[in-house]
Amino acid sequence: MNTSWTADNNDSFDVICLSHLRWDFVYQRPQHLMSRFGKNGRVFFFEEPVFTNVATHLDVSPRDRNITVCVPHIPHGTGESEAENLQRSLLEEFLKEKNIENYILWYYTPMALGFSEALDPLAIVFDCMDELSAFDFAPPLLKTREEELLKKADVVFTGGQSLYEAKKSRHHNIHPYPSSIDRAHFLKARAMKDEPEDQKNIPSPRLGFIGVIDERLDRDLLKELAALRPEWNFVMVGPVVKINPADLPKADNIFYLGGKSYNDLPQYLAHWDVALLPFARNKSTQYISPTKTPEYLAAGLPVVSTSIRDVIYPYGELELVEIADTAVEFAKAAERLLTVKHDANRLEKVDKFLSENSWDDTFARMKHE
């Protein structure tokens, strides 16, 4: 790739990150990587626009570690083409105002190419963390924009091995980087005693899920599990997105606690018996590599997942995670796992695997590609 982006020149550029995910939504891959860039330079995190009843402007707010979040505000009723023009103007004016001259463009969404294609960065990075075109409500232009971005990018990363396999023939410098782990953060769960207020009155055994609750959740599976095991309690932690909350399965033993801050997650995990990855098997999950897999394991929890390819390999293959698809199979797997949370041999095996997996290491290796 462009030699301006190397470890030796770490302090010589800013990062303009163009993201479909909001910084304050769920703390995940973009936040982990951009926070590490922020230790040595400025990061400007441009989100998708918010359509409002006020005049066009760029809302700019600081975060920790040299992170600045920039949100375009655009009037309701603005057409797609005009919205891109407004975002282009806001971005270009911002670069001039902040004297941002030496920078890389780091894309999470190819749609941002529509207002950033005229910029002259030191390098272009496409961190393809998901197959966005397979998600509900994906823009019709997304596939076309992705093809354009693949032609312009100096380097491409994928959020998992299966996504890499699907795209490796489309770029000369593409590398798989499954999501990593902040081990120290989630290891805290193994020793925490205090309970979150909204969870402490839920009886054990508790089987839990943390993550965005959207079209990727197998709602039928959750409903059937709750009916099969009424004595178990299912704790669902995360925001509900793109689906009607009224369509979620309801039962006396299913508890939706909403989204929580990243800092609070270990406290919830600390008091579960089994962690769940109850993903549907559909086009939106074909290439996912769930960040929660290593996070659950670091917290000390046994895990059962549906047959998601990037969970099967390596976690299922190494017998770190149980794999099951039907409600009966899932329940049997979870029943086996209810007795092994504190098994020393299991935890030793988990810790050995996770010792080679960290966001610091992933970040360092990405910068040398």
Side-chain angles (χ1 to χ4, degrees), residues 15 34-35 37-45 62-69:
V15 179
M34 293 304 114
S35 292
F37 272 122
K39 292 178 180 179
N40 295 292
R42 298 184 299 179
V43 175
F44 302 97
F45 191 87
R63 299 294 188 276
D64 294 339
R65 294 182 177 178
N66 291 322
I67 308 291
T68 300
V69 175

Side-chain angles (χ1 to χ4, degrees), residues 21-31 211-212 238-239 260 262 265 292:
L21 298 169
R22 301 203 180 277
W23 184 268
D24 297 319
F25 177 51
V26 175
Y27 200 94
Q28 52 188 307
R29 183 187 184 96
Q31 289 88 342
V212 178
K260 306 298 175 184
Y262 182 72
L265 296 183
K292 291 304 165 214

Side-chain angles (χ1 to χ4, degrees), residues 10-25:
N10 190 48
D11 297 320
S12 65
F13 61 84
D14 297 316
V15 179
I16 309 296
C17 182
L18 303 160
S19 177
H20 61 294
L21 298 169
R22 301 203 180 277
W23 184 268
D24 297 319
F25 177 51

Side-chain angles (χ1 to χ4, degrees), residues 197-210:
E197 284 298 318
D198 58 350
Q199 181 176 271
K200 68 180 182 181
N201 293 323
I202 299 173
S204 294
R206 296 176 185 149
L207 295 85
F209 169 82
I210 282 179

Side-chain angles (χ1 to χ4, degrees), residues 15-247:
V15 179
I16 309 296
C17 182
L18 303 160
S19 177
H20 61 294
L21 298 169
R22 301 203 180 277
W23 184 268
D24 297 319
F25 177 51
V26 175
Y27 200 94
Q28 52 188 307
R29 183 187 184 96
Q31 289 88 342
H32 281 293
L33 294 174
M34 293 304 114
S35 292
R36 283 159 176 78
F37 272 122
K39 292 178 180 179
N40 295 292
R42 298 184 299 179
V43 175
F44 302 97
F45 191 87
F46 275 77
E47 299 183 353
E48 291 185 333
V50 172
F51 291 88
T52 67
N53 293 319
V54 300
T56 298
H57 70 281
L58 189 66
D59 184 75
V60 178
S61 56
R63 299 294 188 276
D64 294 339
R65 294 182 177 178
N66 291 322
I67 308 291
T68 300
V69 175
C70 307
V71 186
H73 285 242
I74 294 173
H76 282 299
T78 303
E80 184 177 322
S81 177
E82 179 58 19
E84 284 196 342
N85 289 335
L86 292 173
Q87 289 176 84
R88 182 181 298 108
S89 296
L90 290 170
L91 176 56
E92 291 177 356
E93 290 169 9
F94 183 80
L95 295 184
K96 291 178 183 177
E97 177 187 332
K98 297 296 182 181
N99 296 315
I100 303 170
E101 297 179 348
N102 296 315
Y103 58 92
I104 66 167
L105 287 176
W106 187 290
Y107 287 85
Y108 280 105
T109 171
M111 293 304 295
L113 196 63
F115 60 85
S116 60
E117 77 285 352
L119 297 179
D120 184 26
L122 298 171
I124 294 176
V125 180
F126 179 23
D127 190 8
C128 182
M129 61 182 286
D130 288 303
E131 184 58 80
L132 295 179
S133 63
F135 286 15
D136 286 352
F137 313 117
L141 262 180
L142 185 57
K143 287 187 176 181
T144 300
R145 288 279 167 82
E146 181 176 278
E147 285 298 328
E148 295 171 357
L149 182 54
L150 286 168
K151 291 176 182 176
K152 293 174 69 75
D154 293 288
V155 64
V156 177
F157 303 121
T158 65
Q161 185 66 32
S162 59
L163 196 54
Y164 167 76
E165 296 294 338
K167 296 186 184 293
K168 64 182 180 180
S169 64
R170 298 168 61 189
H171 197 274
H172 66 282
N173 190 20
I174 183 169
H175 310 274
Y177 276 94
S179 289
S180 299
I181 173 119
D182 181 351
R183 286 184 65 232
H185 182 64
F186 287 94
L187 278 170
K188 296 178 207 172
R190 300 191 190 185
M192 284 184 163
K193 303 299 182 185
D194 292 339
E195 280 259 36
E197 284 298 318
D198 58 350
Q199 181 176 271
K200 68 180 182 181
N201 293 323
I202 299 173
S204 294
R206 296 176 185 149
L207 295 85
F209 169 82
I210 282 179
V212 178
I213 298 172
D214 57 16
E215 74 271 24
R216 292 170 293 179
L217 177 70
D218 191 331
R219 287 171 275 175
D220 290 336
L221 175 61
L222 178 59
K223 180 180 179 180
E224 291 172 27
L225 278 170
L228 272 174
R229 293 290 188 271
E231 72 278 15
W232 295 353
N233 290 291
F234 297 86
V235 182
M236 309 296 289
V237 174
V240 179
V241 176
K242 294 191 290 183
I243 58 175
N244 188 338
D247 294 334

